[in-house]
Amino acid sequence: MFLLLACTGATSLDADADGLGDDLEAALGTDPDNPDTDGDGLTDGEEHFTHGTDPTSADTDADSYLDPWELDEGTDPLDATSVIYLGGWPYQPDKDTLSEGARTWEATGGEVGDRLPRSSWRDQYGDTVDLYDFAGHDVPVMLSLCATWSVECEDVAGLTTGGTTPLDYPATEAAIAAGEVIWLTVLTQDDAGNPPTGAALESWHGAHGGDGLPILADPGEAEDAWLVVGWPTLVLLDSGLTVESVRVNAWTDPLDSLESALSGQ
């Protein structure tokens, strides 16, 4: 009888086998019947003993990047100033899967049905951004290929910042502000017609940027493959980064498509 009780007691010390004893789970506020209380993919024991993260919060430092993402990317899940992207851009842990089958820039012309190639480009904060971190968030993505010298590009930038613009796309402006559209401004040329430098990105951000609006430098990949007629070239992508609409006769074609979709027309 003594052996049976001892065995039963030993089993109940860690009911969910997550490495935390039930008494410690009670003290920490974790669920003794769930090995991953916060559902972030790390067991409660790994969080408490190995990483020092909070097993009751998927984002210990509340910086918008989940603990396992930060561990994978080498940032500190305990420090809110240590982030994957300084701009706070979205992150996609399944980007390798979502980008499977995407062709190279040389093999695609940016036509309807094409997938965005997998690339990593510099942003206005100096971070290298994987384009597929913007995939899979259940919102459309607008790729705006611009040159810093283009007046039309400045008009488009007014949509993203609520600035002065002759363009009339109220549903699009509201959706951008609400985070219901991911808008990616991609600079392909600076004022001298050269590939944009970090200074060009910073200057454009200062004049036309805003919180939550990535400005990326194209090293020549998109300009060579996807620039249709001139600047701006807008490409409307679905959440999986497949082309839904691209400039045909007017660069506003993708904007018209997006506005109609958002307006329910």
Side-chain angles (χ1 to χ4, degrees):
M1 178 65 72
F2 173 78
L3 292 176
L4 177 61
L5 289 174
C7 182
T8 303
T11 301
S12 67
L13 290 178
D14 184 5
D16 55 10
D18 61 359
L20 291 183
D22 293 348
D23 289 345
L24 182 53
E25 295 227 39
L28 294 174
T30 53
D31 185 345
D33 296 316
N34 183 352
D36 181 10
T37 298
D38 57 16
D40 64 0
L42 300 171
T43 67
D44 295 344
E46 287 178 306
E47 297 224 46
H48 182 69
F49 290 117
T50 304
H51 305 300
T53 50
D54 183 354
T56 67
S57 172
D59 180 10
T60 298
D61 57 9
D63 63 358
S64 83
Y65 296 113
L66 302 191
D67 296 342
W69 302 351
E70 296 216 54
L71 292 169
D72 286 343
E73 294 297 332
T75 55
D76 188 349
L78 303 176
D79 181 358
T81 67
S82 174
V83 292
I84 296 174
Y85 293 128
L86 292 174
W89 317 141
Y91 180 79
Q92 177 51 259
D94 296 324
K95 51 183 171 284
D96 288 343
T97 299
L98 291 173
S99 63
E100 286 180 357
R103 296 183 293 171
T104 64
W105 290 100
E106 293 79 7
T108 175
E111 300 175 351
V112 173
D114 284 346
R115 303 249 329 269
L116 188 71
R118 179 87 178 264
S119 285
S120 294
W121 295 340
R122 174 178 173 161
D123 70 5
Q124 67 264 44
Y125 300 107
D127 284 334
T128 299
V129 182
D130 191 315
L131 297 182
Y132 269 80
D133 273 330
F134 299 105
H137 298 287
D138 297 323
V139 295
V141 177
M142 183 69 86
L143 194 71
S144 177
L145 304 179
C146 287
T148 62
W149 46 261
S150 168
V151 174
E152 288 83 2
C153 287
E154 292 183 351
D155 291 341
V156 170
L159 292 175
T160 67
T161 60
T164 301
T165 176
L167 304 178
D168 185 23
Y169 294 93
T172 296
E173 288 191 70
I176 294 169
E180 297 168 355
V181 173
I182 295 175
W183 191 283
L184 302 180
T185 297
V186 179
L187 297 184
T188 65
Q189 289 189 6
D190 64 12
D191 288 350
N194 299 316
T197 62
L201 293 175
E202 293 169 13
S203 177
W204 187 269
H205 178 246
H208 307 293
D211 292 339
L213 295 172
I215 301 172
L216 306 173
D218 169 31
E221 295 174 321
E223 180 176 1
D224 292 342
W226 281 29
L227 202 69
V228 179
V229 179
W231 294 267
T233 286
L234 274 67
V235 184
L236 180 60
L237 309 165
D238 66 15
S239 65
L241 303 189
T242 296
V243 177
E244 290 193 328
S245 177
V246 66
R247 169 180 176 167
V248 180
N249 296 315
W251 61 263
T252 53
D253 292 342
L255 272 175
D256 292 336
S257 297
L258 180 59
E259 184 75 8
S260 295
L262 293 171
S263 303
Q265 299 176 359

